[in-house]
Structures are given as structure tokens and as C-alpha cells.
């Protein structure tokens, strides 16, 4: 076994062997793609949306051309266009004939194409004189995808980013292009729930009712527990039931944080991992990130910091303006708390969970929440 091997990857996607559950979501995605329906995935960050897309692609790549791109770092329509072109080129790189055809299409738009000396990944930049040049380039890229011998699935992660572009017509432009395509299907994915719902559910926005929504919930606790126990067992290790129960409760069964704790617990190298071992791992994780967490205090107002601590201590807050909560944590007037809540939501320091049964607030970063709970 490789020294750095872990059956619990916390970043990226490896293969289906290290992917937990999401069976219902995979079936739903398969059905929608087969019926030529576009889909929008929504969940908090690090729930596993990207891994779900890659798992779906792994099962579908013989039938479809599957292209994934993350646009979180893009700041405008030009960078969006470059990112799409870069991912198409990366996909086509092993298929030289088609890749050359795509390069011929790009040549008409004066690209600068280089390749990373270490990874070989293509880098694409364009120089546009007029805004229409960028739009025509994007249309040319999509027309190329439309002309392929297989249907194309284009997954665009962190799609809410387009709402921040200075080009205010970006949503309308993309919607217009999308409507003209018959062989290109889209999976949009985003972590800013409020903004994504506004983009796709508001009648005032171009993408209104253009896709079917697919909220991504937490993985069911029993399925996650079975997965953890199985992965330890497959690698000739044992982790006790009470240790797994603690991990799931401590991380709120949030995919990323659960994976990190499991990875670090596996990395201890012990043949049997106990509850005490896991607690020590959790302490080490919080100690390692303490310097980062301390800096958050300098970025928030005094009331924002106090409210963040209060929410962390309570775990989840259903009524943040209730007198009992305000008095218990000396938070002052409810009017100030409403403004502070909004600010923390905008900064993505907290998250509002909503379903048909209830709604409540939690600290977005589970490790930060546990550190605040432990420290204050």
C-alpha cells in the first residue's frame, strides 16, 4: 500500500470505489439527460456536487462527450469564454483530429494558445476589441460542440458567478445560445443557494424555468457509516462503531469535513481506530487551523463575531431573534441581529438550511464552528 494512500479523498474525484452513495441523484441525472432535460444542482459548498458530476460522467463517457468546467475564478465574459475553450481543448487533446478541427474554429477568433510545461494542459487567451467579438467566439465554441457525432454534456460549476460579471447581458446571452442547441445538454451547479434560486426561479431572469432543479442533500447517516466501516475493512483496518458515530455527529455528516476526519483517522496507521483516537484527530485538525480562525475576528465586527460564536455554540438556530437566544448570548436588540445575520450570510460565514419541515442557521465551516464552540 502506498504511504499516502487514503480511501477517503477530500479533494477531487478518484473513482466510483471511493464515492459514497448518491444513487438516487445519479438515477435522476441519468433520466434527465436521456430525456434531454437540463439540470441545476444546488447545495452548500463541499457537499460533493463536483464529485457527483464526475461520477456521473464516469458512467456516461462512452455514450456522451462529457466536459466539466469550474468558473468560480472567472471575473467576466472573456474569462468565461477562455475557460470553456480551455476545457474543450483539454478534453479533445487525446483526439488529435477533432482537436485540430476545434483549433481551426478558434483561429478565426485570434486566440493565444500555450501549454503548461508541467501538466500539458492547454491555456487559451483571447484579445477582443469589441464586446460582440467575445459573444461570437462563445457562439463559435458552442456551435462546434453542437456539430459533434455524440451528444455533449457540459457541466458548469459555480454557475452563480456569471451574475457578478460586469457584462449585464451575460445570462441573456447564454440563455439565447442554449435555446439554439439540440445536441448540447447542460448541468449547472452552484453553492450560493439564494442567488442560484433567483437566477433559475425568478420570472424576471433569462434562465427562468429553463432547467429542472436537483437539490443535493447530505448523504444519509447510515449509508455513510456503512461506507466508512467498509473502507477501513477493505484495507485491513478496523474503526469502532462509536468512533464512526462520533465522526458523523461531529461533522454534521457534511461530506467534506467527514472525509477529512476519516482521512486523518486512517492516516494514523493504527490497525484499530477508537473513539479516543478520533477525538485526538479532531483536536489536531482544529489546532492546525487555529491561526486561520483567529484572523476571522479581525474581518468581522464585534457583533458579527459574537453572533457567529452564539450560533456555533447552539449548533443550529431556528429563531435567531428570539428573546431567549438574544439574552443568553448578550446580543442586544433583534433589529441589529437581523442586519448582522444578513451580513454573515453575504460573507458566507453562516448558511441557512431550508426544507419543507423547518429552517435554521448554522456556521458554514464545520471546523470553524467546532473551534468556536471549543474556544469560547
Amino acid at each position: 500500500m502506498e504511504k499516502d494512500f487514503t480511501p477517503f479523498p477530500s479533494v477531487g474525484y478518484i473513482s466510483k470505489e471511493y464515492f459514497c452513495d448518491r444513487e438516487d441523484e445519479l438515477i435522476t441525472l441519468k433520466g434527465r439527460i436521456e430525456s434531454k432535460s437540463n439540470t441545476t444542482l444546488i447545495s452548500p459548498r463541499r457537499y460533493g456536487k463536483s464529485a457527483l458530476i464526475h461520477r456521473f460522467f464516469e458512467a456516461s463517457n462512452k455514450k456522451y462527450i462529457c466536459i466539466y468546467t469550474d468558473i468560480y475564478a472567472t471575473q467576466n465574459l472573456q474569462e468565461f469564454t477562455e475557460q470553456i475553450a480551455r476545457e474543450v481543448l483539454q478534453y479533445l487533446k487525446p483526439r488529435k483530429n477533432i482537436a485540430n478541427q476545434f483549433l481551426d474554429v478558434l483561429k478565426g477568433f485570434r486566440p493565444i494558445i500555450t501549454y503548461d510545461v508541467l501538466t500539458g494542459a492547454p491555456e487559451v487567451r483571447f484579445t477582443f476589441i469589441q464586446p460582440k467579438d467575445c459573444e461570437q467566439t462563445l457562439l463559435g465554441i458552442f456551435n462546434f460542440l453542437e456539430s459533434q457525432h455524440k451528444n455533449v454534456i457540459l457541466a458548469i460549476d459555480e454557475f452563480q458567478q456569471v451574475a457578478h460579471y460586469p457584462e449585464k447581458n451575460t445570462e441573456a446571452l447564454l440563455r439565447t445560445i442554449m435555446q439554439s442547441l439540440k445536441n448540447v445538454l447542460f448541468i449547472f451547479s452552484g453553492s450560493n443557494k439564494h442567488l442560484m434560486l433567483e437566477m433559475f426561479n425568478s420570472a424576471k431572469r433569462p434562465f427562468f424555468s429553463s432547467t429542472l432543479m436537483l437539490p443535493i442533500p447530505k448523504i444519509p447517516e447510515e449509508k455513510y457509516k456503512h461506507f466508512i466501516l467498509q473502507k477501513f475493512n477493505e484495507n485491513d483496518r478496523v474503526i469502532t462503531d462509536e468512533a464512526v458515530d462520533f465522526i458523523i455527529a461531529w461533522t454534521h455528516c457534511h461530506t467534506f469535513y467527514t472525509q477529512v476526519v476519516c482521512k486523518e483517522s486512517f492516516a494514523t496507521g493504527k490497525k484499530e481506530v477508537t473513539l479516543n483516537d478520533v477525538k485526538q484527530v479532531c483536536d489536531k485538525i482544529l489546532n492546525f487551523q487555529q491561526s486561520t480562525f483567529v484572523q476571522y475576528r479581525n474581518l468581522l465586527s464585534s457583533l458579527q463575531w459574537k453572533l457567529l460564536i452564539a450560533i456555533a455554540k447552539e449548533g443550529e438556530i431556528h429563531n435567531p431573534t428570539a428573546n431567549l437566544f438574544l439574552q443568553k448570548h448578550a446580543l442586544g436588540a433583534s433589529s441589529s441581529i437581523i442586519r448582522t445575520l444578513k451580513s454573515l450570510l453575504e460573507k458566507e460565514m453562516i448558511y441557512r438550511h431550508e426544507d419543507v419541515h423547518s429552517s435554521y442557521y448554522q456556521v458554514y465551516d464545520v471546523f470553524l464552528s467546532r473551534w468556536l464552540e471549543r474556544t469560547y
Side-chain angles (χ1 to χ4, degrees), residues 88-182:
V88 174
L89 259 180
Q90 181 67 17
Y91 174 85
L92 295 176
K93 191 179 174 185
R95 305 157 180 83
K96 291 187 178 179
N97 290 338
I98 306 177
N100 288 334
Q101 293 174 22
F102 184 58
L103 287 173
D104 288 339
V105 169
L106 292 184
K107 284 176 183 176
F109 304 110
R110 303 181 298 279
I112 300 171
I113 301 173
T114 59
Y115 292 89
D116 188 288
V117 294
L118 296 177
T119 66
E123 297 291 330
V124 183
R125 290 187 293 112
F126 295 96
T127 302
F128 298 123
I129 299 174
Q130 299 292 334
K132 285 291 182 183
D133 294 341
C134 186
E135 296 176 15
Q136 288 302 315
T137 302
L138 193 59
L139 181 59
I141 293 170
F142 280 114
N143 284 339
F144 173 84
L145 295 176
E146 176 77 359
S147 69
Q148 298 308 299
H149 66 290
K150 290 183 180 181
N151 284 344
V152 175
I153 306 174
L154 177 60
I156 305 179
D157 207 354
E158 300 298 351
F159 186 70
Q160 74 275 344
Q161 189 65 23
V162 302
H164 300 297
Y165 291 172
E167 300 89 354
K168 299 304 179 184
N169 68 328
T170 300
E171 290 178 53
L173 171 66
L174 294 177
R175 178 74 175 104
T176 300
I177 292 175
M178 192 176 86
Q179 284 181 308
S180 69
L181 303 173
K182 295 182 175 60

Side-chain angles (χ1 to χ4, degrees), residues 6-249:
T6 177
F8 303 102
S10 57
V11 178
Y13 175 78
I14 298 178
S15 69
K16 63 182 180 181
E17 287 78 19
Y18 307 104
F19 182 82
C20 179
D21 190 42
R22 301 298 187 198
E23 295 172 5
D24 292 342
E25 290 85 353
L26 288 167
I27 291 171
T28 300
L29 271 177
K30 182 176 183 290
R32 290 184 181 178
I33 293 299
E34 288 178 348
S35 65
K36 294 203 168 184
S37 299
N38 299 311
T39 298
T40 297
L41 311 180
I42 298 179
S43 79
R45 282 198 180 93
R46 297 175 166 179
Y47 259 41
K49 295 186 299 299
S50 301
L52 172 62
I53 292 170
H54 287 296
R55 171 70 187 96
F56 177 69
F57 279 5
E58 183 182 58
S60 308
N61 62 8
K62 292 183 179 179
K63 189 174 182 181
Y64 303 99
I65 294 172
C66 300
I67 299 173
Y68 168 89
T69 185
D70 184 339
I71 65 166
Y72 185 69
T74 63
Q75 300 296 315
N76 51 51
L77 185 59
Q78 176 169 329
E79 292 182 5
F80 174 89
T81 303
E82 291 173 349
Q83 182 66 14
I84 297 292
R86 189 177 301 123
E87 295 299 339
V88 174
L89 259 180
Q90 181 67 17
Y91 174 85
L92 295 176
K93 191 179 174 185
R95 305 157 180 83
K96 291 187 178 179
N97 290 338
I98 306 177
N100 288 334
Q101 293 174 22
F102 184 58
L103 287 173
D104 288 339
V105 169
L106 292 184
K107 284 176 183 176
F109 304 110
R110 303 181 298 279
I112 300 171
I113 301 173
T114 59
Y115 292 89
D116 188 288
V117 294
L118 296 177
T119 66
E123 297 291 330
V124 183
R125 290 187 293 112
F126 295 96
T127 302
F128 298 123
I129 299 174
Q130 299 292 334
K132 285 291 182 183
D133 294 341
C134 186
E135 296 176 15
Q136 288 302 315
T137 302
L138 193 59
L139 181 59
I141 293 170
F142 280 114
N143 284 339
F144 173 84
L145 295 176
E146 176 77 359
S147 69
Q148 298 308 299
H149 66 290
K150 290 183 180 181
N151 284 344
V152 175
I153 306 174
L154 177 60
I156 305 179
D157 207 354
E158 300 298 351
F159 186 70
Q160 74 275 344
Q161 189 65 23
V162 302
H164 300 297
Y165 291 172
E167 300 89 354
K168 299 304 179 184
N169 68 328
T170 300
E171 290 178 53
L173 171 66
L174 294 177
R175 178 74 175 104
T176 300
I177 292 175
M178 192 176 86
Q179 284 181 308
S180 69
L181 303 173
K182 295 182 175 60
N183 300 320
V184 181
L185 300 167
F186 292 85
I187 299 174
F188 300 108
S189 176
S191 56
N192 188 320
K193 182 178 180 181
H194 174 76
L195 188 49
M196 289 290 286
L197 289 176
E198 172 70 19
M199 291 173 69
F200 288 94
N201 288 351
S202 171
K204 298 178 181 179
R205 305 290 281 262
F207 276 94
F208 173 66
S209 292
S210 61
T211 72
L212 298 174
M213 308 300 286
L214 181 58
I216 306 301
K218 294 179 181 179
I219 295 171
E221 292 183 4
E222 282 305 311
K223 289 190 176 182
Y224 218 151
K225 179 175 180 178
H226 174 75
F227 174 80
I228 295 167
L229 291 169
Q230 181 183 44
K231 291 304 161 189
F232 269 87
N233 182 260
E234 287 174 355
N235 291 278
D236 298 320
R237 306 278 189 87
V238 174
I239 183 170
T240 64
D241 281 1
E242 61 178 355
V244 178
D245 290 339
F246 178 84
I247 291 172
I248 289 173

